[in-house]
Amino acid sequence: MTTPMVKAEDVHKSFGQVEVLKGINLEVRAREVFCLLGPSGSGKSTFLRCINHLERVDAGRLSVDGQLVGYKERAGKLYELNENEIADQRQDIGMVFQRFNLFAHMTALQNVMMAPIQVRNEPKKDVRERALQLLERVGLADQSHKYPSQLSGGQQQRVAIARALAMKPKLMLFDEPTSALDPELVGEVLDVMRNLAESGMTMIVVTHEIGFAREVGDSLVFMDAGVVVEQGTPREVLSNPQHARTQAFLSKVL
Amino acid sequence: MSNSNEPMTGPVTSADRPAPIQAIPVRHWGQMIAGVIVIALLAAFLYAVATNQNIDWSIVGENLFNSTILSGLWITISLTILSMIIGIVLGIGLAIMRLSPNRVLNSVAAGYIWIFRGTPQLVQLLLWFNLALFFPRLGIGDFSVDTNTVITAFVAALLGLGLNEGAYMAEIVRGGILSVDHGQSEASMALGMRRQKTMFKIVLPQAMRVIIPPMGNDLITMLKMTSLVTVIAAPDLLNRAQTISVRNFYIFELLIVASIWYLVLTTIATIIQSRLEKRFARGIAARPSTRARVLKNLKPGRVESIAAVTEPNATPEDHGVKS
């Protein structure tokens, strides 16, 4: 059996007194689109942020491509990674945020070119070429010189996707990528994500877009109150939910 | 995809539009009376000063461009600029230390700010000037020099003003850094950028918008603060003016000479500050290249063009959202 891209074993996370993740177990296979569904506060975003160590896991084991996140294991002992080692781990994991978080003082093109130049010291010329290709891929070749505030939400989010892809990640994390968008702009972002899924990218998507999950997702997990309630293929979970909690949630959003 | 970059159309004007309202505006009687009183008082004061037998205005005129005064002016300007540079560099460093998770760096910065903000500027100047009383020689082992040859009045002034400014600047820069949305550094870290790069490439450039206006304020304060160095006999503008008045006894006249120059300097600094403030107030986000902006500003109808340049920042509706 091949190593799963992400493996979570009994992952716990608390913010102060509040336990947000109460033992998450799941596996994400390479090249699969893995959708996380659930009401707000269920811990799905927190779990996503744990995967690239924007949040530290309190207990349990979380690994990406066979590598523990945030720790290294030597002779049966765990050692915390230092800041720079954590930064290095994040290089291969792309992340797209709900609120885009494009660098406001840079053009779309500069946003995309930033990380490969600063982190990997790649030659500027190559990066520029690749960045332009990526912007073209997300349909924004003609907007490359614009600043984020001159772009619509949908365009910003597509630039954010291109920015993450510029680091050639092996895994892409999407944290409610369409939740901050006007309804009419959601489609263009989902199109880019669908296209990315078809190219074989491993994707973990926290979303409220049931349609997208059903159509593009390979696996679907329903989370509530910090635990995985139900798991399966999108078709199974969405059309035939077993759990009362899942049924109640789906009846409201479908 | 429809391109709607053209400006929004104004209110619709039609042929049967009613004529503009003709009405007598509200008279601000209170304002008028107050204005007259202020002008009268001002005239009386100016008359009193101008005709005062005890002020010899010709002395003011003679000394305004006196070479001694100009050399003092130069010292004041260079002290201001150099102290501000020391202050800004120190301030950025201290602010980053203050926000660092490293407890040692954090406490060192906090201690520095505590000491330098907690003691008067004048006392600090005197301390630096009298450093030789405490450390007669500076250096390590055999490599040492006489403190008084290193810490001249100018160097003491620079240290006193610059180190003090660093503490204040640190708080300004810290405020600027904290004003940048946390999502920016999060996105940067998610891309694998290290903390330092995130700070210098992502956070600080965006913090400038918030940092620049109070920094300009500090520059103006610094211009006037330099006059304190007179007490340690640094040859600044005020000190030079006093040197002359010690010789010719025209104390008031030479203070007026110094005041005129301070006013000129602060006025220039204020103009620069308000320019910078305007430039940065609207956010550094949506702006075309520097060259495009400069060209735009050179064109006639500058006010409108600035509005057009900065408008995209306002609301999404204002700048033709594409879909």
Side-chain angles (χ1 to χ4, degrees):
Chain A
M1 203 187 120
T2 51
T3 356
M5 184 54 87
V6 175
K7 188 171 183 181
E9 295 165 273
D10 201 21
V11 168
H12 287 257
K13 170 74 192 171
S14 304
F15 291 112
Q17 298 291 314
V18 188
E19 192 167 40
V20 186
L21 300 179
K22 301 170 183 163
I24 302 290
N25 287 291
L26 51 80
E27 255 180 46
V28 180
R29 285 168 287 126
R31 301 176 71 81
E32 109 173 304
V33 176
F34 192 98
C35 294
L36 281 169
L37 214 64
S40 27
S42 60
K44 49 198 193 319
S45 283
T46 304
F47 177 69
L48 199 72
R49 291 163 59 83
C50 285
I51 295 174
N52 69 351
H53 208 275
L54 286 176
E55 308 289 352
R56 176 191 292 272
V57 171
D58 296 333
R61 291 167 71 92
L62 182 61
S63 56
V64 174
D65 207 9
Q67 258 197 324
L68 272 181
V69 175
Y71 301 92
K72 58 190 164 196
E73 197 167 21
R74 232 187 269 135
K77 270 190 185 162
L78 282 186
Y79 294 86
E80 254 179 48
L81 294 183
N82 68 31
E83 259 180 43
N84 290 344
E85 289 168 320
I86 290 169
D88 292 347
Q89 266 193 347
R90 290 186 181 126
Q91 285 184 28
D92 300 327
I93 305 171
M95 181 147 187
V96 175
F97 298 87
Q98 183 177 357
R99 286 176 52 241
F100 331 133
N101 294 345
L102 286 184
F103 304 135
H105 60 307
M106 297 178 186
T107 63
L109 183 63
Q110 288 168 334
N111 262 281
V112 180
M113 290 172 65
M114 184 80 188
I117 292 174
Q118 295 298 334
V119 178
R120 296 226 173 100
N121 292 316
E122 290 181 52
K124 206 169 175 178
K125 197 170 143 281
D126 302 0
V127 175
R128 189 187 158 82
E129 210 168 288
R130 191 162 87 232
L132 285 169
Q133 278 169 9
L134 282 167
L135 283 173
E136 179 152 15
R137 185 168 163 195
V138 298
L140 292 171
D142 53 338
Q143 310 286 334
S144 63
H145 60 284
K146 289 202 178 161
Y147 285 86
S149 61
Q150 296 168 304
L151 298 170
S152 74
Q155 290 172 326
Q156 288 188 55
Q157 194 61 298
R158 286 187 278 154
V159 174
I161 294 172
R163 178 176 70 177
L165 290 176
M167 288 296 280
K168 298 178 182 161
K170 57 188 176 192
L171 168 67
M172 284 283 284
L173 309 174
F174 292 85
D175 188 5
E176 301 196 25
T178 57
S179 298
L181 294 177
D182 288 344
E184 57 175 339
L185 303 179
V186 169
E188 60 188 80
V189 173
L190 292 183
D191 282 345
V192 168
M193 290 169 62
R194 191 172 293 127
N195 178 287
L196 192 59
E198 278 161 14
S199 76
M201 174 65 73
T202 314
M203 294 160 64
I204 305 181
V205 187
V206 171
T207 187
H208 294 301
E209 295 294 329
I210 307 285
F212 176 83
R214 192 202 311 269
E215 192 191 331
V216 185
D218 298 305
S219 304
L220 190 145
V221 155
F222 177 78
M223 279 178 72
D224 187 35
V227 292
V228 172
V229 175
E230 201 161 343
Q231 183 168 5
T233 67
R235 193 170 298 277
E236 288 164 9
V237 180
L238 293 174
S239 21
N240 189 18
Q242 302 298 313
H243 245 267
R245 186 66 191 92
T246 320
Q247 286 161 5
F249 178 80
L250 289 176
S251 72
K252 282 184 193 121
V253 295
L254 278 178
Chain B
M1 220 185 234
S2 73
N3 194 339
S4 50
N5 268 343
E6 59 270 282
M8 299 231 305
T9 44
V12 184
T13 48
S14 56
D16 51 8
R17 189 167 179 264
I21 293 171
Q22 304 280 339
I24 294 146
V26 175
R27 302 272 185 229
H28 299 280
W29 294 110
Q31 193 173 313
M32 284 178 176
I33 295 166
V36 170
I37 294 173
V38 168
I39 290 169
L41 286 175
L42 201 61
F45 174 72
L46 286 177
Y47 181 77
V49 172
T51 58
N52 191 323
Q53 296 303 312
N54 296 321
I55 300 176
D56 191 339
W57 286 98
S58 66
I59 299 289
V60 173
E62 277 166 29
N63 282 291
L64 202 52
F65 295 100
N66 179 313
S67 66
T68 311
I69 291 290
L70 291 183
S71 77
L73 183 68
W74 173 243
I75 293 286
T76 290
I77 293 174
S78 38
L79 256 183
T80 304
I81 293 174
L82 291 174
S83 315
M84 281 307 282
I85 291 174
I86 294 175
I88 290 168
V89 172
L90 249 176
I92 292 175
L94 286 167
I96 293 173
M97 284 164 70
R98 193 83 180 77
L99 294 169
S100 153
N102 182 326
R103 275 189 223 151
V104 177
L105 293 181
N106 192 321
S107 335
V108 168
Y112 182 99
I113 293 169
W114 175 64
I115 288 175
F116 280 87
R117 285 207 311 179
T119 54
Q121 171 80 83
L122 186 54
V123 175
Q124 287 174 31
L125 282 168
L126 289 168
L127 280 172
W128 284 113
F129 187 59
N130 292 306
L131 195 65
L133 297 176
F134 195 52
F135 295 115
R137 294 187 74 78
L138 292 176
I140 305 161
D142 292 338
F143 302 95
S144 71
V145 280
D146 180 24
T147 302
N148 278 335
T149 56
V150 182
I151 311 287
T152 61
F154 186 81
V155 174
L158 211 53
L159 287 171
L161 295 171
L163 298 186
N164 183 65
E165 179 60 26
Y168 285 91
M169 200 57 83
E171 293 297 281
I172 293 175
V173 175
R174 189 166 74 105
I177 290 173
L178 290 175
S179 77
V180 177
D181 180 27
H182 185 60
Q184 294 286 312
S185 48
E186 210 157 66
S188 170
M189 291 194 303
L191 284 165
M193 303 242 288
R194 297 184 172 189
R195 179 179 294 275
Q196 207 181 343
K197 282 227 162 121
T198 298
M199 179 57 75
F200 284 99
K201 296 283 176 186
I202 305 298
V203 179
L204 269 183
Q206 297 188 64
M208 287 318 282
R209 183 170 58 93
V210 176
I211 293 173
I212 290 276
M215 208 184 252
N217 223 12
D218 269 23
L219 176 71
I220 291 165
T221 311
M222 179 64 83
L223 264 171
K224 295 176 291 176
M225 199 88 94
T226 53
S227 64
L228 288 178
V229 305
T230 297
V231 298
I232 56 171
D236 77 315
L237 179 56
L238 179 61
N239 177 283
R240 294 293 86 185
Q242 286 181 327
T243 325
I244 297 173
S245 62
V246 166
R247 266 186 270 127
N248 63 13
F249 300 109
Y250 288 107
I251 296 167
F252 204 80
E253 286 78 358
L254 279 141
L255 286 175
I256 290 177
V257 168
S259 299
I260 290 172
W261 277 118
Y262 281 120
L263 262 179
V264 168
L265 292 180
T266 48
T267 306
I268 294 171
T270 310
I271 292 169
I272 296 172
Q273 187 208 11
S274 67
R275 286 268 168 86
L276 282 175
E277 221 164 287
K278 260 182 211 144
R279 177 134 304 172
F280 282 90
R282 280 305 194 80
I284 46 175
R287 53 171 198 184
S289 71
T290 312
R291 206 177 61 125
R293 270 181 302 134
V294 170
L295 287 176
K296 246 189 180 144
N297 287 350
L298 289 174
K299 275 188 201 155
R302 192 168 169 272
V303 178
E304 284 85 346
S305 67
I306 289 174
V309 166
T310 46
E311 206 53 36
N313 246 354
T315 57
E317 287 79 16
D318 282 340
H319 63 279
V321 172
K322 289 173 135 201
S323 56

